[in-house]
Amino acid sequence: MTALLLPVLAAWSAPASASVTARFAGAEAGVAADFDQVNEVGGTVRADASRAFSGAFGMRVQYDGGTQNSYQRGIWHTDLRDGDDLWYSAAFYFPVGFKAQMQGEVDVLRWDNWVSHPSDTDWGGLVIYGSDKRMRLMRFNAAGTGTTTLVGPFDVPEGRWVRLEVHQRLGTGNALSEVFMDGALVGRSTAANTYGRTIERLRVGIVAIDAGRQTNPLALWVDDARISTASVWGASGAEPTAPTEPTATAPATDTQTTSESTSTTTTSTTTTSTTTTSTTTKKKGKRSARRASAGDARFARAARRMSPAHYRRHMAHHRRVLRKLKRHPVANRRALADLRAHLAAHRAAQRGS
């Protein structure tokens, strides 16, 4: 990793941490293939050919609005510990008007340990406040010992792709947190960035909203999401124009519900219970089928543009994912159906090309 020159600390070049596993989500093979788990409550997460940062597809994240606790996100399972040095990043597209639609805090890229600590969860990551519509890198725990702003607030643009990277050396001591936007350093902090417990997941999308307050619908796009051991976009270690220091507890007006008891989940590794009524499930199923059909049509158009070599590699990847999903057919029933439909659309497109 390129050494980062700090004004107070000596130059630091961290070795790759054994517990940091590189992951990537580019939506080229569909969303379910990129993540260990996908949550869709009150909205959808779909591969979308209408807007992409790279390749043919981006990931469109849609919150339909309402009053329930909702989230639309891709999830990677992790085993991150204090002392690990990692980068997590994604390209985001916030459409013009996204901030105007916000009525409370929206979290877009964050880690947590809800699996082991559902009642006193620790989390950290990038959030946009509803009060000033500006982004922050936060540390928070549900045990009530305080919320800390590590970097920010800072503005994020609408109407274009923006590359956001977080670099953290995890710990309650000897910690480091940095945020880069489009390769430029926004701010850094050496304050504690964990609470000393294992980080079990990293999530991207509309990870959380201010439930009951965020009644307006929201949509954004995500592409090239990553966990890595180095900057993927050549982040510069130069000092930001206005260095930011950790600030006090966040305003009470910017909160979000952490309950996950009503999660509707697509997963390739775990089974999560679904607590929705049969009527709601049928309605959502019909909407999902229509969206999947439209998505397959876009996939088919992309398939016709593929070279024979690209098509073979693409289909080989799909078959590997299919074998993985078949290991847990009950938990992955929806993902299996989506992937099989996706494969059928590709084959039909190739036959017709």
Side-chain angles (χ1 to χ4, degrees), residues 20-326:
V20 179
T21 301
R23 304 297 299 270
F24 175 76
E28 298 304 306
V31 176
D34 286 343
F35 293 99
D36 297 318
Q37 192 173 341
V38 176
N39 288 159
E40 296 175 300
V41 174
T44 55
V45 184
R46 292 287 185 269
D48 181 27
S50 69
R51 180 165 283 128
F53 176 74
S54 67
F57 300 97
M59 184 170 75
R60 189 177 191 275
V61 184
Q62 170 73 43
Y63 164 57
D64 295 333
T67 59
Q68 67 171 324
N69 180 31
S70 300
Y71 30 80
Q72 302 79 38
R73 59 210 181 186
I75 301 173
W76 287 312
H77 300 303
T78 64
D79 185 27
L80 301 169
R81 314 293 178 92
D82 281 6
D84 285 344
D85 193 280
L86 78 151
W87 295 69
Y88 49 100
S89 59
F92 289 91
Y93 188 101
F94 301 101
V96 174
F98 179 88
K99 296 175 189 176
Q101 287 288 97
M102 287 179 55
Q103 296 163 293
E105 181 179 321
V106 178
D107 298 7
V108 298
L109 181 63
R110 84 179 202 195
W111 51 257
D112 67 65
N113 56 7
W114 183 86
V115 175
S116 295
H117 303 281
S119 61
D120 60 342
T121 308
D122 307 332
W123 64 253
L126 295 176
V127 310
I128 306 176
Y129 272 16
S131 54
D132 61 6
K133 311 302 172 71
R134 305 182 79 196
M135 183 169 279
R136 292 155 170 84
L137 178 67
M138 305 293 297
R139 181 187 76 143
F140 170 89
N141 74 341
T145 59
T147 298
T148 305
T149 299
L150 297 170
V151 174
F154 59 94
D155 291 318
V156 288
E158 294 182 334
R160 71 169 178 85
W161 285 101
V162 57
R163 294 172 289 128
L164 293 168
E165 287 189 290
V166 179
H167 173 218
Q168 290 192 306
R169 183 169 69 246
L170 302 173
T172 55
N174 191 34
L176 174 65
S177 298
E178 298 178 305
V179 177
F180 299 84
M181 185 165 62
D182 293 332
L185 181 64
V186 174
R188 63 163 56 96
S189 168
T190 56
N193 53 26
T194 74
Y195 294 88
R197 301 192 295 192
T198 301
I199 295 169
E200 299 169 323
R201 302 188 298 186
L202 191 138
R203 312 195 280 188
V204 61
I206 298 179
V207 176
I209 60 169
D210 193 345
R213 192 176 187 191
Q214 182 63 51
T215 59
N216 291 337
L218 294 170
L220 58 86
W221 281 261
V222 183
D223 205 352
D224 288 10
R226 282 184 173 90
I227 301 174
S228 55
T229 56
S231 170
V232 296
W233 287 314
S236 168
E239 278 296 300
T241 303
T244 55
E245 293 299 325
T247 58
T249 301
T253 54
D254 283 281
T255 59
Q256 74 292 119
T257 305
T258 57
S259 169
E260 307 195 18
S261 58
T262 58
S263 172
T264 301
T265 303
T266 301
T267 171
S268 59
T269 57
T270 60
T271 303
T272 303
S273 62
T274 303
T275 56
T276 56
T277 64
S278 59
T279 301
T280 302
T281 301
K282 288 177 182 177
K283 289 181 179 178
K284 287 185 176 180
K286 291 178 180 177
R287 288 199 300 269
S288 297
R290 288 195 298 270
R291 289 169 178 139
S293 177
D296 286 337
R298 290 192 295 270
F299 294 148
R301 289 194 295 272
R304 285 193 289 269
R305 296 194 297 269
M306 291 181 183
S307 68
H310 185 187
Y311 175 74
R312 286 194 295 272
R313 291 194 300 272
H314 192 68
M315 294 298 281
H317 172 75
H318 281 319
R319 285 190 287 271
R320 288 194 296 271
V321 173
L322 188 63
R323 286 195 295 272
K324 183 178 179 182
L325 293 175
K326 285 180 177 178

